[in-house]
Amino acid sequence: MSRFWALLKMNGRLLFRNKGFLFFLCITPIVSAVILNLKMDSAIYESKVERTQIVELEGADSKAVYVGDTSAFIIKVYDASGTELSEYLLHTFTSAGIFSVCRYDARRMSDSEVERQAETDAFDDRAGILLYLKSGFDESVLAGEYENAFQLYDVSDDGRQALFEEELTAALLRIRSVAAAMNAGSIDNIVERLQAIDAQMPQKAVVSVSGNNGIVLTDEQINKRSLIGYAFAILTLGCLLCGVCVAHTVIEEQNNRVYMRMMLSKLDRRSYFCSKFVMVFFIGLIQTGLLGICLFCFNRMEVGILPLGFLGMILCLGLIFGTISLLLGMLSGDVMSANYAVFALWSISALLSGLYFSIDMTSPVLKEIANLMPHRWFMRAAEQLLAGDNGGYLVVLYTTSAYLIISLSIGGIGLKIKRFD
Amino acid sequence: MIRYLIKNNFKLMFRNKWVLFTMILGPVIVIACLSGAFADLMKSYEGVEAFRVGYRTEAGSMFTEGMEVIRTAGENAGMTFLEFPEGEPEEVMIHNELKAFVEFGVQTYTVYESADYPVEGMTLEYFLGKIMRTYTDHMLTEMAGMDSVLSEMSSRTNFLPAEISVVTDLPVKELEYLPAVSSIDYYGIIEIVYFTWVGIICAANILNNEKKYAIHRKFQAAALSEIRIYLGRWISVVSVVAVGIGIATGISIWLFDVHWGSPAVSCLLMLLTIMASISLGLFLYAVFDHIAITVVVLFVLVWFMGFFGGSFETYMYASWADGVKSLSPIYHLNRALVEHSAMGHSAYTGSAILYMAAITVICSVAALAVGRIRKRGRA
């Protein structure tokens, strides 16, 4: 045992002399903690938009594609009318279930400005149709002069456009028939009457059900998942490069015949490799500890997951990637090749695992390939834990055990084939 | 002599298999990831195929008597209604592979929409909304009760877009627009362009070797002109990058079915891009005389051009001012290639060709000038 400790001490001294190792050991947890403390809004790309509400656009050139429901038929509205009747018309569309309405208050825009904006949006946005509600909307609709009331711009080949036109026609006819029945009362009364008619309809409720494997996250949880993804990416890069530094000590010891001298002593090969593996574990512990301290200082551990559980995940992640890079380094026998290999592994694993963006919509083949990546399972576990499902800890445990068994077994066989000594 | 130079450069470049591998595999992996990530945002409506809907009616529901008629109307609209009196709707949907579920209460109804099948859920919601609207209109005008409304609904088949005819003349103006571009087509084109711009990395071995073994002195001894040395590098690197990018494009078409526009225009634009990118790379190398610095500077430059030109966020939806986008040569290229793919023509083809030709000529002349100045300095 004292020999083993002596080995560990020697490894530690060698590693802590390496400035590159110290840099990666310290800087990656700090950067990760800073990332986890960022305030960002990635949820706009994947949040579930409430179709029953009109989405207000801040500018005429704001993109409806980002704020509207892309599964629905998006209607981008330039509203120069801003009346109760135009509001009623737009709510008719939102309540239909198949349309998503995004509106810009265009009361300060001229007809020609709206047309120019429509021409731009035809290329630079993804609306199904553009609807310009003109300033004299109410009077013109009641008079049946639709060309003075509004203008439609056909900017897509979406098959649901006919449904929209039918819905618009029906709504206009309804408005006019109610107005006729009320003998052209005030607009307020007409809108009240229309709303009273709508209130007679059987009330509808819509419940969104998550898919077979889906985990439904709130916007805040989606943001936290994105930050955790970036933090995982930075931390694992650090773990991999620290692992290469440990592998570097093995390569140096072999080149300088230190390894041979050690084997001539009473030390066996298993203890030697165990000491390297234990070093990887210690590195993981140090990084996790540093991350914990930084997180406590920066954001009071508010990552959306229980602090100890989150740190446990980081330790497991570090253990997997540290071991893989140690073995890759020992098998390649060259630090530069090991760096290339771990960098390639890191890039592909991070990209395919959805650390930077969700890969839910990718092809089934790519998803199957992604399932081979350790990051993928950790992201899945993080999603579960964010959603309050503690089953995520089991996923982490199984994933860590599986990858350690696989990498140590393959690494052991590889070292035997390579005849390390 | 120049042929010998090109041949030697080919040998050097093919020795560095890692870089060639990255040039071919890099775009393919990035295309797969980015197109998947933005698939939802860029997908277009492709109609709804017939699907199964689960339902249940509460005792005393106003819908009970008319269910047969709703089922028939649903069948006409491509929805098969199946009754499931027991179980939680969410579980019933998953276990029976239902794309939507509806619970009819006494005077209300609840639609359950699966996150996996949002369009089907919406279609059901719309279908039921139409029934309810027709029912309400008829009831209020005292024309008929629920049964007769539903009888009318059962004979209707116009719930699908293709079968609808709008009677009223609405003021509709046709504008020229960019048809829906799938994320596969967009990123399948854009990432190939992006990786083309970093093609100078293929020349790393040539430039490293020339520097390591002080080849420039041997060139001087052989009385090789600066133009010949430049062309020796330029032709070989352009050829290797063209082959590499060609293979990457072929693989992406084979794997993801990426649709490019007219082959002649696309090939011309890509060839000009490769020429421009290599000229820019060689110019930067002439300035910095160090491959690592050249690569870092070029990557940063290309990243910014790509950032404003639509290599990451689509150029259509990016909120940068048009003036800022137009400064990026990548924007002109991306737009020309994407519009050729989607529309068959593009107003940006001319500006893209001009940009690429200008970069090629200016960078080549500047690289030669810098090379001459450096040569005089050495002498």
Side-chain angles (χ1 to χ4, degrees):
Chain A
M1 199 64 190
S2 59
R3 277 192 213 104
F4 187 75
W5 279 113
L7 258 180
L8 279 182
K9 264 195 231 166
M10 184 188 75
N11 282 327
R13 269 202 298 271
L14 278 173
L15 281 172
F16 282 96
R17 266 186 222 155
N18 185 338
K19 289 186 184 69
F21 169 78
L22 285 175
F23 177 78
F24 290 120
L25 184 74
C26 302
I27 207 75
T28 49
I30 295 169
V31 173
S32 302
V34 170
I35 288 174
L36 285 167
N37 196 38
L38 288 176
K39 295 270 177 288
M40 63 176 285
D41 192 11
S42 62
I44 61 162
Y45 295 108
E46 33 186 312
S47 63
K48 192 84 185 155
V49 180
E50 200 62 59
R51 285 196 308 276
T52 52
Q53 290 170 350
I54 298 169
V55 181
E56 301 294 346
L57 299 173
E58 287 177 9
D61 57 354
S62 297
K63 307 294 176 191
V65 68
Y66 284 147
V67 288
D69 185 337
T70 49
S71 302
F73 181 81
I74 297 178
I75 307 161
K76 185 170 183 178
V77 182
Y78 313 105
D79 191 356
S81 155
T83 61
E84 296 250 336
L85 196 61
S86 65
E87 188 81 11
Y88 169 79
L89 180 73
L90 298 182
H91 277 292
T92 311
F93 299 137
T94 55
S95 60
I98 206 165
F99 308 116
S100 173
V101 178
C102 303
R103 171 176 57 188
Y104 172 67
D105 184 348
R107 276 178 282 195
R108 288 182 185 171
M109 289 175 87
S110 65
D111 287 1
S112 56
E113 282 174 331
V114 169
E115 182 137 340
R116 270 201 302 279
Q117 185 58 47
E119 282 166 359
T120 308
D121 286 340
F123 277 86
D124 293 351
D125 207 344
R126 270 296 294 280
I129 202 155
L130 307 175
L131 170 60
Y132 171 36
L133 300 176
K134 297 182 181 177
S135 53
F137 175 78
D138 292 5
E139 298 75 22
S140 303
V141 163
L142 297 181
E145 296 163 357
Y146 294 147
E147 64 280 4
N148 296 328
F150 59 89
Q151 177 69 55
L152 289 168
Y153 295 102
D154 179 5
V155 290
S156 78
D157 47 11
D158 192 311
R160 292 168 293 186
Q161 191 165 321
L163 289 179
F164 165 74
E165 289 181 14
E166 191 200 46
E167 195 71 30
L168 176 61
T169 308
L172 292 170
L173 290 176
R174 198 160 51 246
I175 290 169
R176 289 188 64 201
S177 56
V178 167
M182 292 179 69
N183 225 350
S186 75
I187 295 290
D188 286 353
N189 289 343
I190 293 170
V191 173
E192 266 177 39
R193 176 74 182 137
L194 286 163
Q195 286 167 341
I197 292 171
D198 289 352
Q200 300 293 313
M201 286 174 66
Q203 292 302 301
K204 170 182 75 175
V206 179
V207 177
S208 186
V209 179
S210 62
N212 281 337
N213 303 312
I215 298 162
V216 179
L217 299 177
T218 62
D219 282 2
E220 194 191 346
Q221 287 167 341
I222 290 170
N223 285 334
K224 287 201 163 146
R225 183 191 64 185
S226 303
L227 295 177
I228 287 173
Y230 297 138
F232 277 177
I234 300 290
L235 271 167
T236 44
L237 181 65
C239 296
L240 282 167
L241 293 172
C242 288
V244 171
C245 291
V246 180
H248 178 62
T249 62
V250 179
I251 295 164
E252 286 292 298
E253 280 162 2
Q254 202 192 13
N255 291 343
N256 300 336
R257 305 199 173 192
V258 175
Y259 175 75
M260 192 183 73
R261 275 178 236 142
M262 275 194 257
M263 289 305 115
L264 289 173
S265 71
K266 283 182 180 174
L267 191 81
D268 62 350
R269 199 185 306 163
R270 195 175 299 162
S271 305
Y272 176 77
F273 287 117
C274 268
S275 72
K276 300 294 175 189
F277 180 71
V278 171
M279 275 318 293
V280 168
F281 178 71
F282 281 149
I283 290 166
L285 269 182
I286 294 169
Q287 284 189 316
T288 309
L290 275 172
L291 179 71
I293 294 166
C294 294
L295 276 180
F296 185 75
C297 297
F298 292 161
N299 74 350
R300 305 269 161 208
M301 309 289 272
E302 286 168 4
V303 284
I305 300 174
L306 279 178
L308 271 180
F310 180 69
L311 292 178
M313 281 176 87
I314 298 298
L315 178 63
C316 292
L317 204 59
L319 208 55
I320 293 174
F321 281 95
T323 310
I324 290 174
S325 66
L326 169 67
L327 290 167
L328 280 174
M330 289 198 299
L331 288 172
S332 66
D334 167 29
V335 177
M336 273 316 283
S337 306
N339 273 330
Y340 277 135
V342 297
F343 195 74
L345 175 81
W346 174 77
S347 307
I348 294 170
S349 177
L351 210 57
L352 289 181
S353 305
L355 295 195
Y356 308 128
F357 36 72
S358 169
I359 60 154
D360 289 345
M361 299 309 292
T362 49
S363 67
V365 178
L366 204 70
K367 276 186 192 162
E368 290 304 319
I369 297 171
N371 282 338
L372 295 172
M373 309 294 160
H375 279 129
R376 177 80 183 130
W377 295 99
F378 276 77
M379 278 311 283
R380 205 171 272 177
E383 283 172 6
Q384 277 182 274
L385 294 172
L386 280 169
D389 177 3
N390 286 337
Y393 292 120
L394 275 181
V395 175
V396 171
L397 209 63
Y398 291 149
T399 308
T400 310
S401 315
Y403 278 101
L404 283 181
I405 290 168
I406 292 168
S407 51
L408 287 173
S409 311
I410 295 175
I413 295 166
L415 288 174
K416 281 210 165 167
I417 293 170
K418 203 170 178 269
R419 289 180 168 275
F420 192 74
D421 48 353
Chain B
M1 189 64 186
I2 194 168
R3 264 194 309 184
Y4 171 77
L5 260 180
I6 293 170
K7 197 175 150 193
N8 192 49
N9 286 342
F10 275 142
K11 270 189 206 164
L12 284 168
M13 278 188 281
F14 284 120
R15 261 186 219 163
N16 200 347
K17 292 185 180 62
W18 174 255
V19 169
L20 295 175
F21 184 69
T22 311
M23 275 298 290
I24 294 168
L25 210 66
V28 176
I29 292 171
V30 177
I31 289 167
C33 292
L34 287 180
S35 62
F38 294 100
D40 205 23
L41 196 71
M42 300 180 77
K43 75 177 171 201
S44 55
Y45 177 72
E46 291 168 349
V48 187
E49 289 185 9
F51 63 97
R52 303 193 316 157
V53 177
Y55 79 91
R56 111 173 15 138
T57 45
E58 201 177 304
S61 168
M62 62 186 281
F63 303 95
T64 311
E65 287 178 19
M67 267 323 296
E68 188 53 41
V69 185
I70 290 180
R71 272 203 298 268
T72 314
E75 209 66 56
N76 291 336
M79 283 171 252
T80 306
F81 280 80
L82 303 165
E83 189 170 11
F84 293 90
E86 301 293 330
E88 284 295 314
E90 289 91 338
E91 285 172 16
V92 171
M93 281 171 74
I94 291 169
H95 292 142
N96 297 283
E97 295 180 352
L98 302 172
K99 294 187 175 169
F101 193 93
V102 56
E103 242 178 354
F104 293 108
V106 178
Q107 285 193 318
T108 60
Y109 64 103
T110 306
V111 181
Y112 292 83
E113 299 182 2
S114 168
D116 289 342
Y117 305 102
V119 178
E120 282 80 357
M122 283 177 200
T123 308
L124 173 67
E125 201 184 328
Y126 181 74
F127 167 80
L128 292 172
K130 291 296 273 187
I131 290 180
M132 302 310 161
R133 170 66 72 186
T134 316
Y135 162 69
T136 312
D137 287 351
H138 282 241
M139 288 294 282
L140 289 166
T141 51
E142 295 180 14
M143 277 173 62
M146 185 71 172
D147 284 351
S148 62
V149 172
L150 292 170
S151 300
E152 187 197 307
M153 300 301 296
S154 69
S155 62
R156 267 190 78 167
T157 56
N158 59 353
F159 288 104
L160 295 178
E163 295 163 356
I164 283 180
S165 56
V166 179
V167 181
T168 311
D169 279 337
L170 297 170
V172 183
K173 188 171 183 181
E174 301 268 340
L175 293 181
E176 193 185 9
Y177 60 89
L178 179 71
V181 184
S182 73
S183 60
I184 285 283
D185 286 347
Y186 184 85
Y187 286 104
I189 293 169
I190 259 66
E191 294 312 321
I192 292 285
V193 171
Y194 187 78
F195 273 81
T196 303
W197 279 95
V198 293
I200 193 67
I201 201 160
C202 291
N205 236 17
I206 304 175
L207 303 173
N208 265 338
N209 271 284
E210 283 182 6
K211 191 151 195 190
K212 192 174 175 185
Y213 300 110
I215 305 285
H216 57 89
R217 282 188 206 146
K218 289 168 195 165
F219 285 153
Q220 276 175 340
L224 254 177
S225 71
E226 200 61 38
I227 294 179
R228 282 179 171 232
I229 297 170
Y230 181 80
L231 282 178
R233 285 175 188 163
W234 191 85
I235 294 171
S236 51
V237 182
V238 165
S239 311
V240 168
V241 173
V243 172
I245 288 294
I247 295 171
T249 309
I251 292 174
S252 65
I253 291 172
W254 175 60
L255 280 180
F256 311 118
D257 195 22
V258 179
H259 296 98
W260 288 71
S262 143
V265 178
S266 304
C267 286
L268 173 73
L269 284 172
M270 284 310 297
L271 190 63
L272 288 171
T273 310
I274 293 167
M275 289 176 177
S277 73
I278 301 307
S279 305
L280 177 64
L282 289 177
F283 164 68
L284 291 175
Y285 181 73
V287 172
F288 297 110
D289 199 26
H290 195 289
I291 187 66
I293 299 173
T294 303
V295 168
V296 170
V297 172
L298 184 73
F299 274 38
V300 170
L301 208 60
V302 171
W303 189 87
F304 275 104
M305 290 197 295
F307 186 71
F308 293 110
S311 298
F312 312 114
E313 185 184 19
T314 56
Y315 69 77
M316 299 91 87
Y317 311 150
S319 52
W320 313 113
D322 282 348
V324 177
K325 287 181 193 171
S326 297
L327 286 175
S328 164
I330 289 186
Y331 171 68
H332 293 261
L333 267 172
N334 286 349
R335 188 148 185 173
L337 288 166
V338 168
E339 287 184 355
H340 268 285
S341 163
M343 300 157 64
H345 62 90
S346 170
Y348 282 75
T349 314
S351 60
I353 291 174
L354 269 178
Y355 249 114
M356 294 308 110
I359 290 173
T360 308
V361 172
I362 293 170
C363 288
S364 296
V365 171
L368 285 169
V370 173
R372 278 207 185 118
I373 293 166
R374 201 181 290 282
K375 201 173 173 182
R376 267 185 225 148
R378 276 189 199 124

